[in-house]
Amino acid sequence: MNDPAFFDASRGLARRILSEGGADERGRIAYGFRLCTSRKPAADEVDVLEKALRQELEHFRRDKAAAKAVFKGAELPKDLPETAAWTLIANVLVNLDETVTKE
């Protein structure tokens, strides 16, 4: 699930969340979660994702090279640390058992 195609999908989902998900983090998390699972997230699910987002934002603001590595082979966004952090959150959402169809 972490191959390049899924990571490309995560970058696209992150951009969509940032452009369509509203202005606040919790609203954006809920929007991305609904896109992936077709249900509203529980409050504790939002809390976990919000904590992860804040940790990733802090990491990418300190380490620009790590943020650039998220976009290896792709166009760099204007707000690199924020979009890199959202890409990792989107990757979590894409990899949820609820999101993945198993046969």
Side-chain angles (χ1 to χ4, degrees), residues 16-53:
R16 185 170 177 193
I17 290 169
L18 287 167
S19 69
E20 299 174 6
D24 68 86
E25 291 175 353
R26 292 183 73 81
R28 287 176 172 174
I29 290 167
Y31 178 74
F33 195 96
R34 279 193 322 268
L35 285 174
C36 291
T37 66
S38 298
R39 72 170 176 86
K40 291 182 181 181
D44 62 328
E45 292 170 319
V46 175
D47 292 343
V48 168
L49 291 167
E50 184 178 35
K51 181 179 177 183
L53 174 66

PDB file of all heavy atoms in Angstrom, residues 16-53:
ATOM      1  N   ARG A  16      -6.796  17.686  -2.516  1.00  0.00           N
ATOM      2  CA  ARG A  16      -8.255  17.817  -2.524  1.00  0.00           C
ATOM      3  C   ARG A  16      -8.764  18.214  -1.134  1.00  0.00           C
ATOM      4  O   ARG A  16      -9.633  19.079  -1.022  1.00  0.00           O
ATOM      5  CB  ARG A  16      -8.898  16.514  -2.986  1.00  0.00           C
ATOM      6  CG  ARG A  16     -10.396  16.629  -3.117  1.00  0.00           C
ATOM      7  CD  ARG A  16     -11.017  15.437  -3.792  1.00  0.00           C
ATOM      8  NE  ARG A  16     -12.458  15.602  -3.812  1.00  0.00           N
ATOM      9  CZ  ARG A  16     -13.300  14.643  -4.110  1.00  0.00           C
ATOM     10  NH1 ARG A  16     -12.865  13.443  -4.450  1.00  0.00           N
ATOM     11  NH2 ARG A  16     -14.594  14.865  -4.092  1.00  0.00           N
ATOM     12  N   ILE A  17      -8.251  17.581  -0.102  1.00  0.00           N
ATOM     13  CA  ILE A  17      -8.656  17.925   1.259  1.00  0.00           C
ATOM     14  C   ILE A  17      -8.357  19.388   1.541  1.00  0.00           C
ATOM     15  O   ILE A  17      -9.200  20.103   2.093  1.00  0.00           O
ATOM     16  CB  ILE A  17      -7.940  17.007   2.285  1.00  0.00           C
ATOM     17  CG1 ILE A  17      -8.483  15.578   2.201  1.00  0.00           C
ATOM     18  CG2 ILE A  17      -8.093  17.564   3.703  1.00  0.00           C
ATOM     19  CD1 ILE A  17      -7.655  14.554   2.979  1.00  0.00           C
ATOM     20  N   LEU A  18      -7.181  19.853   1.154  1.00  0.00           N
ATOM     21  CA  LEU A  18      -6.803  21.242   1.406  1.00  0.00           C
ATOM     22  C   LEU A  18      -7.653  22.230   0.609  1.00  0.00           C
ATOM     23  O   LEU A  18      -7.968  23.311   1.095  1.00  0.00           O
ATOM     24  CB  LEU A  18      -5.317  21.450   1.104  1.00  0.00           C
ATOM     25  CG  LEU A  18      -4.375  20.829   2.129  1.00  0.00           C
ATOM     26  CD1 LEU A  18      -2.945  20.805   1.593  1.00  0.00           C
ATOM     27  CD2 LEU A  18      -4.453  21.568   3.449  1.00  0.00           C
ATOM     28  N   SER A  19      -8.054  21.863  -0.589  1.00  0.00           N
ATOM     29  CA  SER A  19      -8.822  22.800  -1.413  1.00  0.00           C
ATOM     30  C   SER A  19     -10.328  22.744  -1.157  1.00  0.00           C
ATOM     31  O   SER A  19     -11.018  23.751  -1.302  1.00  0.00           O
ATOM     32  CB  SER A  19      -8.538  22.583  -2.895  1.00  0.00           C
ATOM     33  OG  SER A  19      -9.061  21.350  -3.333  1.00  0.00           O
ATOM     34  N   GLU A  20     -10.839  21.575  -0.753  1.00  0.00           N
ATOM     35  CA  GLU A  20     -12.292  21.420  -0.616  1.00  0.00           C
ATOM     36  C   GLU A  20     -12.762  21.159   0.814  1.00  0.00           C
ATOM     37  O   GLU A  20     -13.959  21.199   1.073  1.00  0.00           O
ATOM     38  CB  GLU A  20     -12.769  20.243  -1.476  1.00  0.00           C
ATOM     39  CG  GLU A  20     -12.498  20.400  -2.949  1.00  0.00           C
ATOM     40  CD  GLU A  20     -12.852  19.150  -3.746  1.00  0.00           C
ATOM     41  OE1 GLU A  20     -13.421  18.192  -3.178  1.00  0.00           O
ATOM     42  OE2 GLU A  20     -12.546  19.123  -4.959  1.00  0.00           O
ATOM     43  N   GLY A  21     -11.849  20.895   1.726  1.00  0.00           N
ATOM     44  CA  GLY A  21     -12.220  20.423   3.060  1.00  0.00           C
ATOM     45  C   GLY A  21     -12.514  21.482   4.094  1.00  0.00           C
ATOM     46  O   GLY A  21     -12.750  21.151   5.251  1.00  0.00           O
ATOM     47  N   GLY A  22     -12.481  22.745   3.710  1.00  0.00           N
ATOM     48  CA  GLY A  22     -12.741  23.807   4.679  1.00  0.00           C
ATOM     49  C   GLY A  22     -11.452  24.396   5.228  1.00  0.00           C
ATOM     50  O   GLY A  22     -10.356  24.064   4.783  1.00  0.00           O
ATOM     51  N   ALA A  23     -11.617  25.253   6.238  1.00  0.00           N
ATOM     52  CA  ALA A  23     -10.477  26.014   6.737  1.00  0.00           C
ATOM     53  C   ALA A  23      -9.828  25.424   7.986  1.00  0.00           C
ATOM     54  O   ALA A  23      -8.668  25.709   8.265  1.00  0.00           O
ATOM     55  CB  ALA A  23     -10.908  27.453   7.030  1.00  0.00           C
ATOM     56  N   ASP A  24     -10.562  24.620   8.747  1.00  0.00           N
ATOM     57  CA  ASP A  24      -9.983  24.123   9.996  1.00  0.00           C
ATOM     58  C   ASP A  24      -9.560  22.662   9.875  1.00  0.00           C
ATOM     59  O   ASP A  24     -10.088  21.908   9.059  1.00  0.00           O
ATOM     60  CB  ASP A  24     -10.947  24.309  11.176  1.00  0.00           C
ATOM     61  CG  ASP A  24     -12.174  23.429  11.067  1.00  0.00           C
ATOM     62  OD1 ASP A  24     -12.102  22.266  11.509  1.00  0.00           O
ATOM     63  OD2 ASP A  24     -13.203  23.903  10.549  1.00  0.00           O
ATOM     64  N   GLU A  25      -8.598  22.289  10.696  1.00  0.00           N
ATOM     65  CA  GLU A  25      -8.010  20.952  10.620  1.00  0.00           C
ATOM     66  C   GLU A  25      -9.029  19.838  10.845  1.00  0.00           C
ATOM     67  O   GLU A  25      -9.053  18.855  10.118  1.00  0.00           O
ATOM     68  CB  GLU A  25      -6.883  20.809  11.649  1.00  0.00           C
ATOM     69  CG  GLU A  25      -5.671  21.633  11.317  1.00  0.00           C
ATOM     70  CD  GLU A  25      -4.613  21.588  12.400  1.00  0.00           C
ATOM     71  OE1 GLU A  25      -4.852  21.014  13.489  1.00  0.00           O
ATOM     72  OE2 GLU A  25      -3.525  22.134  12.155  1.00  0.00           O
ATOM     73  N   ARG A  26      -9.861  19.978  11.870  1.00  0.00           N
ATOM     74  CA  ARG A  26     -10.819  18.921  12.192  1.00  0.00           C
ATOM     75  C   ARG A  26     -11.831  18.734  11.058  1.00  0.00           C
ATOM     76  O   ARG A  26     -12.204  17.610  10.727  1.00  0.00           O
ATOM     77  CB  ARG A  26     -11.507  19.196  13.523  1.00  0.00           C
ATOM     78  CG  ARG A  26     -10.528  19.069  14.687  1.00  0.00           C
ATOM     79  CD  ARG A  26     -11.182  19.273  16.029  1.00  0.00           C
ATOM     80  NE  ARG A  26     -12.019  18.167  16.444  1.00  0.00           N
ATOM     81  CZ  ARG A  26     -11.577  17.038  16.995  1.00  0.00           C
ATOM     82  NH1 ARG A  26     -10.281  16.861  17.201  1.00  0.00           N
ATOM     83  NH2 ARG A  26     -12.412  16.095  17.362  1.00  0.00           N
ATOM     84  N   GLY A  27     -12.256  19.831  10.453  1.00  0.00           N
ATOM     85  CA  GLY A  27     -13.169  19.750   9.319  1.00  0.00           C
ATOM     86  C   GLY A  27     -12.516  19.074   8.124  1.00  0.00           C
ATOM     87  O   GLY A  27     -13.143  18.266   7.431  1.00  0.00           O
ATOM     88  N   ARG A  28     -11.267  19.392   7.897  1.00  0.00           N
ATOM     89  CA  ARG A  28     -10.542  18.768   6.796  1.00  0.00           C
ATOM     90  C   ARG A  28     -10.341  17.273   7.042  1.00  0.00           C
ATOM     91  O   ARG A  28     -10.466  16.466   6.125  1.00  0.00           O
ATOM     92  CB  ARG A  28      -9.185  19.447   6.604  1.00  0.00           C
ATOM     93  CG  ARG A  28      -9.289  20.819   5.983  1.00  0.00           C
ATOM     94  CD  ARG A  28      -7.950  21.477   5.913  1.00  0.00           C
ATOM     95  NE  ARG A  28      -8.032  22.725   5.142  1.00  0.00           N
ATOM     96  CZ  ARG A  28      -7.041  23.570   5.011  1.00  0.00           C
ATOM     97  NH1 ARG A  28      -5.862  23.323   5.579  1.00  0.00           N
ATOM     98  NH2 ARG A  28      -7.191  24.673   4.305  1.00  0.00           N
ATOM     99  N   ILE A  29     -10.023  16.925   8.278  1.00  0.00           N
ATOM    100  CA  ILE A  29      -9.859  15.507   8.614  1.00  0.00           C
ATOM    101  C   ILE A  29     -11.165  14.762   8.374  1.00  0.00           C
ATOM    102  O   ILE A  29     -11.183  13.684   7.770  1.00  0.00           O
ATOM    103  CB  ILE A  29      -9.370  15.342  10.070  1.00  0.00           C
ATOM    104  CG1 ILE A  29      -7.914  15.817  10.186  1.00  0.00           C
ATOM    105  CG2 ILE A  29      -9.524  13.897  10.541  1.00  0.00           C
ATOM    106  CD1 ILE A  29      -7.423  15.987  11.610  1.00  0.00           C
ATOM    107  N   ALA A  30     -12.259  15.331   8.847  1.00  0.00           N
ATOM    108  CA  ALA A  30     -13.570  14.698   8.668  1.00  0.00           C
ATOM    109  C   ALA A  30     -13.903  14.553   7.186  1.00  0.00           C
ATOM    110  O   ALA A  30     -14.430  13.519   6.751  1.00  0.00           O
ATOM    111  CB  ALA A  30     -14.646  15.491   9.396  1.00  0.00           C
ATOM    112  N   TYR A  31     -13.593  15.576   6.405  1.00  0.00           N
ATOM    113  CA  TYR A  31     -13.860  15.534   4.966  1.00  0.00           C
ATOM    114  C   TYR A  31     -13.069  14.405   4.297  1.00  0.00           C
ATOM    115  O   TYR A  31     -13.626  13.593   3.552  1.00  0.00           O
ATOM    116  CB  TYR A  31     -13.507  16.886   4.340  1.00  0.00           C
ATOM    117  CG  TYR A  31     -13.703  16.940   2.845  1.00  0.00           C
ATOM    118  CD1 TYR A  31     -14.983  16.998   2.311  1.00  0.00           C
ATOM    119  CD2 TYR A  31     -12.625  16.935   1.976  1.00  0.00           C
ATOM    120  CE1 TYR A  31     -15.172  17.040   0.938  1.00  0.00           C
ATOM    121  CE2 TYR A  31     -12.807  16.980   0.606  1.00  0.00           C
ATOM    122  CZ  TYR A  31     -14.079  17.034   0.092  1.00  0.00           C
ATOM    123  OH  TYR A  31     -14.268  17.074  -1.268  1.00  0.00           O
ATOM    124  N   GLY A  32     -11.774  14.333   4.566  1.00  0.00           N
ATOM    125  CA  GLY A  32     -10.953  13.278   3.980  1.00  0.00           C
ATOM    126  C   GLY A  32     -11.387  11.892   4.431  1.00  0.00           C
ATOM    127  O   GLY A  32     -11.429  10.961   3.633  1.00  0.00           O
ATOM    128  N   PHE A  33     -11.757  11.770   5.680  1.00  0.00           N
ATOM    129  CA  PHE A  33     -12.212  10.496   6.219  1.00  0.00           C
ATOM    130  C   PHE A  33     -13.484  10.059   5.507  1.00  0.00           C
ATOM    131  O   PHE A  33     -13.615   8.898   5.108  1.00  0.00           O
ATOM    132  CB  PHE A  33     -12.457  10.641   7.724  1.00  0.00           C
ATOM    133  CG  PHE A  33     -12.593   9.340   8.458  1.00  0.00           C
ATOM    134  CD1 PHE A  33     -11.508   8.780   9.108  1.00  0.00           C
ATOM    135  CD2 PHE A  33     -13.805   8.676   8.512  1.00  0.00           C
ATOM    136  CE1 PHE A  33     -11.622   7.575   9.793  1.00  0.00           C
ATOM    137  CE2 PHE A  33     -13.942   7.477   9.185  1.00  0.00           C
ATOM    138  CZ  PHE A  33     -12.837   6.922   9.828  1.00  0.00           C
ATOM    139  N   ARG A  34     -14.424  10.998   5.313  1.00  0.00           N
ATOM    140  CA  ARG A  34     -15.674  10.669   4.611  1.00  0.00           C
ATOM    141  C   ARG A  34     -15.413  10.285   3.163  1.00  0.00           C
ATOM    142  O   ARG A  34     -16.063   9.377   2.637  1.00  0.00           O
ATOM    143  CB  ARG A  34     -16.656  11.840   4.672  1.00  0.00           C
ATOM    144  CG  ARG A  34     -17.416  11.931   5.965  1.00  0.00           C
ATOM    145  CD  ARG A  34     -18.602  12.900   5.898  1.00  0.00           C
ATOM    146  NE  ARG A  34     -18.349  14.093   5.109  1.00  0.00           N
ATOM    147  CZ  ARG A  34     -17.888  15.246   5.590  1.00  0.00           C
ATOM    148  NH1 ARG A  34     -17.585  15.360   6.851  1.00  0.00           N
ATOM    149  NH2 ARG A  34     -17.714  16.279   4.797  1.00  0.00           N
ATOM    150  N   LEU A  35     -14.485  10.961   2.503  1.00  0.00           N
ATOM    151  CA  LEU A  35     -14.158  10.609   1.126  1.00  0.00           C
ATOM    152  C   LEU A  35     -13.658   9.173   1.020  1.00  0.00           C
ATOM    153  O   LEU A  35     -13.969   8.466   0.065  1.00  0.00           O
ATOM    154  CB  LEU A  35     -13.084  11.549   0.560  1.00  0.00           C
ATOM    155  CG  LEU A  35     -13.503  12.955   0.188  1.00  0.00           C
ATOM    156  CD1 LEU A  35     -12.279  13.772  -0.220  1.00  0.00           C
ATOM    157  CD2 LEU A  35     -14.535  12.956  -0.924  1.00  0.00           C
ATOM    158  N   CYS A  36     -12.893   8.743   2.005  1.00  0.00           N
ATOM    159  CA  CYS A  36     -12.270   7.415   1.950  1.00  0.00           C
ATOM    160  C   CYS A  36     -13.156   6.298   2.476  1.00  0.00           C
ATOM    161  O   CYS A  36     -13.075   5.175   1.976  1.00  0.00           O
ATOM    162  CB  CYS A  36     -10.957   7.430   2.724  1.00  0.00           C
ATOM    163  SG  CYS A  36      -9.687   8.420   1.918  1.00  0.00           S
ATOM    164  N   THR A  37     -13.977   6.588   3.473  1.00  0.00           N
ATOM    165  CA  THR A  37     -14.727   5.510   4.128  1.00  0.00           C
ATOM    166  C   THR A  37     -16.234   5.602   3.940  1.00  0.00           C
ATOM    167  O   THR A  37     -16.948   4.674   4.314  1.00  0.00           O
ATOM    168  CB  THR A  37     -14.450   5.497   5.643  1.00  0.00           C
ATOM    169  OG1 THR A  37     -14.975   6.708   6.216  1.00  0.00           O
ATOM    170  CG2 THR A  37     -12.969   5.360   5.947  1.00  0.00           C
ATOM    171  N   SER A  38     -16.714   6.715   3.419  1.00  0.00           N
ATOM    172  CA  SER A  38     -18.157   6.955   3.227  1.00  0.00           C
ATOM    173  C   SER A  38     -18.920   7.035   4.550  1.00  0.00           C
ATOM    174  O   SER A  38     -20.104   6.745   4.601  1.00  0.00           O
ATOM    175  CB  SER A  38     -18.788   5.875   2.332  1.00  0.00           C
ATOM    176  OG  SER A  38     -18.195   5.899   1.065  1.00  0.00           O
ATOM    177  N   ARG A  39     -18.219   7.407   5.611  1.00  0.00           N
ATOM    178  CA  ARG A  39     -18.892   7.641   6.882  1.00  0.00           C
ATOM    179  C   ARG A  39     -18.192   8.764   7.631  1.00  0.00           C
ATOM    180  O   ARG A  39     -17.030   9.079   7.359  1.00  0.00           O
ATOM    181  CB  ARG A  39     -18.931   6.384   7.744  1.00  0.00           C
ATOM    182  CG  ARG A  39     -17.610   5.974   8.341  1.00  0.00           C
ATOM    183  CD  ARG A  39     -17.788   4.866   9.385  1.00  0.00           C
ATOM    184  NE  ARG A  39     -16.527   4.393   9.901  1.00  0.00           N
ATOM    185  CZ  ARG A  39     -15.860   4.934  10.927  1.00  0.00           C
ATOM    186  NH1 ARG A  39     -16.337   5.991  11.548  1.00  0.00           N
ATOM    187  NH2 ARG A  39     -14.708   4.423  11.326  1.00  0.00           N
ATOM    188  N   LYS A  40     -18.916   9.356   8.574  1.00  0.00           N
ATOM    189  CA  LYS A  40     -18.312  10.381   9.413  1.00  0.00           C
ATOM    190  C   LYS A  40     -17.406   9.708  10.441  1.00  0.00           C
ATOM    191  O   LYS A  40     -17.745   8.660  10.978  1.00  0.00           O
ATOM    192  CB  LYS A  40     -19.393  11.184  10.146  1.00  0.00           C
ATOM    193  CG  LYS A  40     -20.220  12.044   9.239  1.00  0.00           C
ATOM    194  CD  LYS A  40     -21.236  12.837  10.031  1.00  0.00           C
ATOM    195  CE  LYS A  40     -22.072  13.691   9.103  1.00  0.00           C
ATOM    196  NZ  LYS A  40     -23.061  14.484   9.843  1.00  0.00           N
ATOM    197  N   PRO A  41     -16.274  10.332  10.728  1.00  0.00           N
ATOM    198  CA  PRO A  41     -15.387   9.747  11.737  1.00  0.00           C
ATOM    199  C   PRO A  41     -15.913  10.010  13.146  1.00  0.00           C
ATOM    200  O   PRO A  41     -16.582  11.018  13.393  1.00  0.00           O
ATOM    201  CB  PRO A  41     -14.068  10.491  11.513  1.00  0.00           C
ATOM    202  CG  PRO A  41     -14.484  11.817  10.974  1.00  0.00           C
ATOM    203  CD  PRO A  41     -15.711  11.537  10.124  1.00  0.00           C
ATOM    204  N   ALA A  42     -15.601   9.105  14.051  1.00  0.00           N
ATOM    205  CA  ALA A  42     -15.906   9.320  15.465  1.00  0.00           C
ATOM    206  C   ALA A  42     -14.930  10.370  15.998  1.00  0.00           C
ATOM    207  O   ALA A  42     -13.856  10.590  15.426  1.00  0.00           O
ATOM    208  CB  ALA A  42     -15.751   8.016  16.230  1.00  0.00           C
ATOM    209  N   ALA A  43     -15.299  11.010  17.083  1.00  0.00           N
ATOM    210  CA  ALA A  43     -14.461  12.063  17.662  1.00  0.00           C
ATOM    211  C   ALA A  43     -13.059  11.554  17.992  1.00  0.00           C
ATOM    212  O   ALA A  43     -12.071  12.258  17.759  1.00  0.00           O
ATOM    213  CB  ALA A  43     -15.128  12.642  18.905  1.00  0.00           C
ATOM    214  N   ASP A  44     -12.963  10.335  18.518  1.00  0.00           N
ATOM    215  CA  ASP A  44     -11.639   9.811  18.862  1.00  0.00           C
ATOM    216  C   ASP A  44     -10.795   9.543  17.619  1.00  0.00           C
ATOM    217  O   ASP A  44      -9.571   9.672  17.655  1.00  0.00           O
ATOM    218  CB  ASP A  44     -11.737   8.577  19.756  1.00  0.00           C
ATOM    219  CG  ASP A  44     -12.442   7.400  19.107  1.00  0.00           C
ATOM    220  OD1 ASP A  44     -13.351   7.609  18.278  1.00  0.00           O
ATOM    221  OD2 ASP A  44     -12.087   6.252  19.441  1.00  0.00           O
ATOM    222  N   GLU A  45     -11.422   9.197  16.509  1.00  0.00           N
ATOM    223  CA  GLU A  45     -10.687   9.003  15.262  1.00  0.00           C
ATOM    224  C   GLU A  45     -10.120  10.335  14.766  1.00  0.00           C
ATOM    225  O   GLU A  45      -8.969  10.396  14.317  1.00  0.00           O
ATOM    226  CB  GLU A  45     -11.593   8.378  14.199  1.00  0.00           C
ATOM    227  CG  GLU A  45     -11.998   6.952  14.522  1.00  0.00           C
ATOM    228  CD  GLU A  45     -13.076   6.400  13.632  1.00  0.00           C
ATOM    229  OE1 GLU A  45     -14.040   7.132  13.297  1.00  0.00           O
ATOM    230  OE2 GLU A  45     -12.970   5.207  13.270  1.00  0.00           O
ATOM    231  N   VAL A  46     -10.917  11.383  14.870  1.00  0.00           N
ATOM    232  CA  VAL A  46     -10.447  12.715  14.480  1.00  0.00           C
ATOM    233  C   VAL A  46      -9.302  13.145  15.391  1.00  0.00           C
ATOM    234  O   VAL A  46      -8.299  13.702  14.933  1.00  0.00           O
ATOM    235  CB  VAL A  46     -11.595  13.746  14.498  1.00  0.00           C
ATOM    236  CG1 VAL A  46     -11.067  15.153  14.223  1.00  0.00           C
ATOM    237  CG2 VAL A  46     -12.668  13.376  13.489  1.00  0.00           C
ATOM    238  N   ASP A  47      -9.437  12.872  16.693  1.00  0.00           N
ATOM    239  CA  ASP A  47      -8.384  13.241  17.652  1.00  0.00           C
ATOM    240  C   ASP A  47      -7.046  12.602  17.293  1.00  0.00           C
ATOM    241  O   ASP A  47      -6.006  13.270  17.312  1.00  0.00           O
ATOM    242  CB  ASP A  47      -8.774  12.824  19.076  1.00  0.00           C
ATOM    243  CG  ASP A  47      -9.946  13.608  19.636  1.00  0.00           C
ATOM    244  OD1 ASP A  47     -10.274  14.690  19.099  1.00  0.00           O
ATOM    245  OD2 ASP A  47     -10.541  13.124  20.624  1.00  0.00           O
ATOM    246  N   VAL A  48      -7.066  11.323  16.969  1.00  0.00           N
ATOM    247  CA  VAL A  48      -5.830  10.603  16.618  1.00  0.00           C
ATOM    248  C   VAL A  48      -5.209  11.201  15.356  1.00  0.00           C
ATOM    249  O   VAL A  48      -3.998  11.451  15.304  1.00  0.00           O
ATOM    250  CB  VAL A  48      -6.108   9.093  16.429  1.00  0.00           C
ATOM    251  CG1 VAL A  48      -4.924   8.390  15.792  1.00  0.00           C
ATOM    252  CG2 VAL A  48      -6.459   8.456  17.757  1.00  0.00           C
ATOM    253  N   LEU A  49      -6.026  11.443  14.347  1.00  0.00           N
ATOM    254  CA  LEU A  49      -5.509  11.995  13.091  1.00  0.00           C
ATOM    255  C   LEU A  49      -5.029  13.433  13.267  1.00  0.00           C
ATOM    256  O   LEU A  49      -4.022  13.833  12.669  1.00  0.00           O
ATOM    257  CB  LEU A  49      -6.572  11.903  12.001  1.00  0.00           C
ATOM    258  CG  LEU A  49      -6.878  10.482  11.535  1.00  0.00           C
ATOM    259  CD1 LEU A  49      -8.138  10.445  10.691  1.00  0.00           C
ATOM    260  CD2 LEU A  49      -5.698   9.895  10.776  1.00  0.00           C
ATOM    261  N   GLU A  50      -5.716  14.195  14.111  1.00  0.00           N
ATOM    262  CA  GLU A  50      -5.298  15.582  14.359  1.00  0.00           C
ATOM    263  C   GLU A  50      -3.940  15.614  15.076  1.00  0.00           C
ATOM    264  O   GLU A  50      -3.071  16.421  14.740  1.00  0.00           O
ATOM    265  CB  GLU A  50      -6.350  16.311  15.180  1.00  0.00           C
ATOM    266  CG  GLU A  50      -6.036  17.786  15.395  1.00  0.00           C
ATOM    267  CD  GLU A  50      -7.112  18.492  16.172  1.00  0.00           C
ATOM    268  OE1 GLU A  50      -7.730  17.884  17.074  1.00  0.00           O
ATOM    269  OE2 GLU A  50      -7.337  19.681  15.892  1.00  0.00           O
ATOM    270  N   LYS A  51      -3.755  14.728  16.031  1.00  0.00           N
ATOM    271  CA  LYS A  51      -2.467  14.643  16.732  1.00  0.00           C
ATOM    272  C   LYS A  51      -1.354  14.273  15.756  1.00  0.00           C
ATOM    273  O   LYS A  51      -0.277  14.876  15.767  1.00  0.00           O
ATOM    274  CB  LYS A  51      -2.542  13.625  17.863  1.00  0.00           C
ATOM    275  CG  LYS A  51      -1.260  13.503  18.643  1.00  0.00           C
ATOM    276  CD  LYS A  51      -1.382  12.495  19.771  1.00  0.00           C
ATOM    277  CE  LYS A  51      -0.048  12.352  20.495  1.00  0.00           C
ATOM    278  NZ  LYS A  51      -0.100  11.348  21.542  1.00  0.00           N
ATOM    279  N   ALA A  52      -1.614  13.297  14.899  1.00  0.00           N
ATOM    280  CA  ALA A  52      -0.627  12.889  13.897  1.00  0.00           C
ATOM    281  C   ALA A  52      -0.318  14.041  12.939  1.00  0.00           C
ATOM    282  O   ALA A  52       0.852  14.282  12.592  1.00  0.00           O
ATOM    283  CB  ALA A  52      -1.122  11.677  13.125  1.00  0.00           C
ATOM    284  N   LEU A  53      -1.344  14.762  12.526  1.00  0.00           N
ATOM    285  CA  LEU A  53      -1.149  15.901  11.622  1.00  0.00           C
ATOM    286  C   LEU A  53      -0.239  16.943  12.262  1.00  0.00           C
ATOM    287  O   LEU A  53       0.697  17.436  11.632  1.00  0.00           O
ATOM    288  CB  LEU A  53      -2.493  16.528  11.247  1.00  0.00           C
ATOM    289  CG  LEU A  53      -2.414  17.808  10.425  1.00  0.00           C
ATOM    290  CD1 LEU A  53      -1.824  17.535   9.047  1.00  0.00           C
ATOM    291  CD2 LEU A  53      -3.787  18.443  10.306  1.00  0.00           C
TER     292      LEU A  53
END
